[in-house]
């Protein structure tokens, strides 16, 4: 007898998140998961691996708080930003009755985490100018516990309008959480909404070491929120969410030296991104280059499928968004090393 029938009905029906690693593909140039092209060097002290790690390693919390410019009591560290998203849903949403609100096209994990936990998803699509539809969101606030916004938005790259966000936060007072996912904020730090945390207890910010810090492999992310919200999340989080080697590497990545390395990586990626955007926009098969605020460019080709196949034949793995609403012919290109960007341009310019 198949054991699938024993699983929860909801799980049987679930389509798992199509992560870049799961989709994979044949190729040697990986530009499909917004990873960095390098990670840096770290030292590991294995003397204490016989002991369980701290739930919230103090040095990691203190250093992230200092880096983000918030009090340590507003910081939670978890197994990637994804675990922060999941914890928020598990802490605030009653399965079967509560809902979260998302603004597609956006990051896929908000809906996947909600569905896995039996929580409904209300969709309020981005406007034609690719902003959250703040009026429409405010109208539906009674129905939802959490609003997920993403800034820069993955995959479109757009930043959430600050006046709209403040309007939403005022409307959400005491009624719903407003999450701003800043996974890519290091590429445009002047646009962080982190300073609003002290004015609005409903605001939650998601961060990660997976992108600008070049550490997707260690699974380490942060949730920034009011001390009250952090306290609630700590009731739900696993007892040892952050492995000891992860805590050691994260602390080093957040040291003064680590931050210098991160910022120089960001400068280089932003430089390569500007160059690539200019080259792309002059190309006959490129219709649109979307907002360049993250470590990626969403590009509309004519046609997208042909360009995706061409890149793939050259061993370059990109991420196809053609099936997403409003993103026909759109492909997301992660900004990798200079050599990788040259390879992309080569394919573009050669076989036209
Ligand atoms: C990558 C990403 C995250 C979190 O990634 P983790 O690797 O789980 O830290 C969160 N939000 C967005 C929009 C992302 O692109």
């Amino acid at each position: 007898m198949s054991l699938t029938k024993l699983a929860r009905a909801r799980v049987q029906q679930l389509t798992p998140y199509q992560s870049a690693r799961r989709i994979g593909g044949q190729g040697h140039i990986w530009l499909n998961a917004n990873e960095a092209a390098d990670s840096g060097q770290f030292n590991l002290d294995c003397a204490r691996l016989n002991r369980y790690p701290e739930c919230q390693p103090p040095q990691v919390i203190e250093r992230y708080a200092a880096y983000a410019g918030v009090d340590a009591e507003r910081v939670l560290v978890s197994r990637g930003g994804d675990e922060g998203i999941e914890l928020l849903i598990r802490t605030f949403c009653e399965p079967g009755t509560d809902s979260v609100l998302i603004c597609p096209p956006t990051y896929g994990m908000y809906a996947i985490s909600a569905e896995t936990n039996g929580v409904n998803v209300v969709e309020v699509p981005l406007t034609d100018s690719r902003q959250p539809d703040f009026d429409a969101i405010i109208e539906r606030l009674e129905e939802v516990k959490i609003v997920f916004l993403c800034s820069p938005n993955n995959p479109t790259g757009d930043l959430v309008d600050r006046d709209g966000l403040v309007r939403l936060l005022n409307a959400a007072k005491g009624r719903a959480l407003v999450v701003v996912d800043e996974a890519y904020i290091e590429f445009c730090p002047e646009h962080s909404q982190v300073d609003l945390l002290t004015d609005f207890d409903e605001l939650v910010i998601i961060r990660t070491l997976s992108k600008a810090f070049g550490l997707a492999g260690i699974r380490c992310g942060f949730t920034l929120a009011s001390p009250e919200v952090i306290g609630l999340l700590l009731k739900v989080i696993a007892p040892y969410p952050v492995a000891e080697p992860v805590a050691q590497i994260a602390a080093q990545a957040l040291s003064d030296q680590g931050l210098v390395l991160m910022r120089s990586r960001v400068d280089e990626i932003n430089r390569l991104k500007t160059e690539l955007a200019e080259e792309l926009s002059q190309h006959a098969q490129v219709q649109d280059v979307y907002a360049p605020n993250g470590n990626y460019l969403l590009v509309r080709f004519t046609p997208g499928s042909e360009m995706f196949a061409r890149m793939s034949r050259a061993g370059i793995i990109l991420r196809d968004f053609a099936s997403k609403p409003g993103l026909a012919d759109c492909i997301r290109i992660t900004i990798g090393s200079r050599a990788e960007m040259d390879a992309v341009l080569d394919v573009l310019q050669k076989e036209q």
Side-chain angles (χ1 to χ4, degrees), residues 34 79-83 85 107 110 150 152 154 181 183-184 206-211 216 219-221:
N34 292 346
R79 195 161 25 109
D82 284 351
E83 189 182 25
I85 293 164
Y107 188 50
Y110 316 134
C150 190
N154 179 5
D181 185 340
Y184 299 96
I206 298 285
R207 298 282 190 87
T208 179
L209 298 188
S210 296
K211 309 290 163 46
R219 313 302 303 122
C220 187

Coordinates of all heavy atoms in Angstrom, one line a residue, residues 34 79-83 85 107 110 150 152 154 181 183-184 206-211 216 219-221, ligand 1:
N34 N 20.3 33.7 -7.9 CA 20.8 34.9 -7.2 C 21.8 34.7 -6.1 O 21.9 35.5 -5.1 CB 19.6 35.7 -6.7 CG 18.7 36.2 -7.8 OD1 19.1 36.3 -8.9 ND2 17.5 36.6 -7.4
R79 N 17.3 29.7 10.2 CA 17.8 28.9 9.1 C 17.4 29.5 7.8 O 16.4 29.1 7.2 CB 17.3 27.5 9.3 CG 18.0 26.4 8.5 CD 17.7 25.0 9.0 NE 16.4 25.0 9.8 CZ 15.3 24.4 9.3 NH1 15.3 23.8 8.2 NH2 14.2 24.4 10.1
G80 N 18.1 30.6 7.4 CA 17.7 31.3 6.2 C 16.6 32.2 6.5 O 15.8 32.1 7.4
G81 N 16.4 33.2 5.5 CA 15.2 34.1 5.6 C 14.0 33.3 5.4 O 12.9 33.6 6.0
D82 N 14.0 32.2 4.7 CA 12.9 31.4 4.5 C 12.3 30.8 5.8 O 11.0 30.7 5.9 CB 13.2 30.2 3.6 CG 13.4 30.5 2.1 OD1 13.0 31.7 1.8 OD2 13.8 29.7 1.3
E83 N 13.1 30.5 6.7 CA 12.6 30.0 8.0 C 11.9 31.2 8.7 O 10.9 31.0 9.4 CB 13.6 29.4 8.9 CG 13.0 28.7 10.1 CD 14.0 28.1 11.1 OE1 15.1 28.5 11.2 OE2 13.6 27.2 11.8
I85 N 10.2 33.6 7.3 CA 8.9 33.7 6.7 C 7.9 32.6 7.2 O 6.8 32.9 7.6 CB 9.0 33.5 5.1 CG1 9.8 34.7 4.6 CG2 7.7 33.3 4.4 CD1 10.4 34.5 3.2
Y107 N 8.2 36.7 -4.8 CA 8.9 35.6 -4.3 C 8.0 34.4 -4.0 O 6.9 34.7 -3.3 CB 9.7 36.0 -3.0 CG 10.7 34.9 -2.5 CD1 11.6 34.3 -3.3 CD2 10.6 34.6 -1.1 CE1 12.4 33.3 -2.8 CE2 11.5 33.7 -0.6 CZ 12.4 33.0 -1.4 OH 13.3 32.1 -0.9
Y110 N 6.4 32.8 0.0 CA 5.3 33.2 0.9 C 4.1 32.3 0.7 O 3.5 31.9 1.7 CB 4.9 34.7 0.6 CG 6.0 35.7 0.4 CD1 6.0 36.6 -0.6 CD2 7.1 35.6 1.3 CE1 7.1 37.4 -0.8 CE2 8.2 36.5 1.1 CZ 8.2 37.4 0.0 OH 9.2 38.3 -0.2
C150 N 7.9 42.8 -0.9 CA 9.3 42.4 -1.2 C 10.0 43.6 -1.8 O 9.5 44.1 -2.9 CB 9.3 41.2 -2.1 SG 10.9 40.4 -2.3
P152 N 14.0 45.1 -2.6 CA 13.7 45.0 -4.0 C 12.9 43.7 -4.3 O 13.2 42.7 -3.7 CB 15.0 44.9 -4.8 CG 16.0 45.5 -3.8 CD 15.5 45.2 -2.5
N154 N 11.7 40.4 -5.8 CA 12.2 39.3 -6.6 C 10.9 38.7 -7.3 O 10.0 38.2 -6.7 CB 12.8 38.2 -5.7 CG 13.3 37.0 -6.4 OD1 13.3 37.0 -7.6 ND2 13.8 36.0 -5.6
D181 N 10.3 42.2 2.8 CA 11.4 41.2 2.6 C 12.5 42.0 1.9 O 12.4 42.4 0.8 CB 10.9 40.1 1.7 CG 11.9 39.0 1.5 OD1 13.1 39.3 1.7 OD2 11.5 37.9 1.1
A183 N 15.7 40.9 1.3 CA 16.8 39.9 1.0 C 17.9 40.5 0.2 O 19.0 40.1 0.2 CB 16.2 38.7 0.3
Y184 N 17.6 41.6 -0.6 CA 18.5 42.2 -1.6 C 18.9 43.6 -1.2 O 19.5 44.3 -2.0 CB 18.0 42.1 -3.0 CG 17.7 40.7 -3.5 CD1 16.4 40.2 -3.4 CD2 18.7 39.9 -4.0 CE1 16.1 38.9 -3.8 CE2 18.4 38.6 -4.4 CZ 17.2 38.1 -4.3 OH 16.9 36.9 -4.7
I206 N 12.6 41.1 6.7 CA 13.3 39.8 6.5 C 14.6 40.2 5.8 O 14.7 40.9 4.9 CB 12.5 38.8 5.6 CG1 11.2 38.4 6.3 CG2 13.4 37.6 5.2 CD1 11.3 37.5 7.4
R207 N 15.7 39.6 6.3 CA 17.1 39.7 5.8 C 17.7 38.4 5.6 O 17.2 37.4 6.2 CB 17.9 40.6 6.7 CG 17.4 42.0 6.9 CD 17.7 42.9 5.7 NE 17.5 44.3 6.0 CZ 18.3 45.2 6.5 NH1 19.5 44.7 6.9 NH2 18.0 46.4 6.7
T208 N 18.9 38.3 4.9 CA 19.5 37.0 4.7 C 21.0 37.2 4.5 O 21.5 38.3 4.0 CB 18.9 36.3 3.5 OG1 19.6 35.1 3.3 CG2 19.1 37.1 2.2
L209 N 21.8 36.2 4.8 CA 23.2 36.2 4.4 C 23.4 35.5 3.0 O 24.5 35.3 2.6 CB 24.1 35.5 5.5 CG 24.1 36.1 6.9 CD1 25.2 35.4 7.7 CD2 24.4 37.6 6.8
S210 N 22.3 35.1 2.4 CA 22.4 34.2 1.2 C 22.8 35.0 -0.1 O 23.3 34.4 -1.1 CB 21.1 33.5 0.9 OG 20.8 32.6 1.9
K211 N 22.6 36.3 -0.1 CA 22.8 37.1 -1.3 C 24.1 37.9 -1.3 O 25.1 37.4 -1.7 CB 21.5 37.9 -1.6 CG 20.2 37.1 -1.5 CD 20.0 36.1 -2.6 CE 19.0 35.0 -2.4 NZ 17.7 35.3 -2.0
A216 N 24.8 31.6 0.8 CA 23.6 30.8 0.6 C 23.7 29.4 1.2 O 22.8 28.8 1.7 CB 23.2 30.7 -0.9
R219 N 22.8 28.7 5.1 CA 21.4 28.9 5.6 C 21.3 29.8 6.8 O 21.2 29.3 7.9 CB 20.7 27.5 5.8 CG 20.9 26.5 4.7 CD 20.4 27.0 3.4 NE 19.0 27.3 3.4 CZ 18.6 28.5 3.1 NH1 19.4 29.5 2.6 NH2 17.3 28.8 3.1
C220 N 21.4 31.0 6.6 CA 21.4 31.9 7.8 C 20.6 33.2 7.4 O 21.0 33.9 6.4 CB 22.8 32.3 8.3 SG 22.8 33.2 9.8
G221 N 19.6 33.5 8.1 CA 18.8 34.7 7.8 C 18.3 35.4 9.1 O 18.5 34.8 10.2
Ligands
LIG1 C1 16.7 34.5 -1.3 C2 15.5 35.1 -0.8 C3 15.1 35.0 0.5 C4 15.7 34.1 1.6 O1 16.6 33.2 1.3 P1 17.4 32.3 2.4 O2 18.4 31.7 1.6 O3 16.3 31.4 2.9 O4 17.9 33.2 3.4 C5 14.0 35.6 1.0 N1 13.3 36.4 0.2 C6 13.7 36.6 -1.1 C7 12.9 37.6 -1.9 C8 14.8 36.0 -1.6 O5 15.1 36.1 -2.9

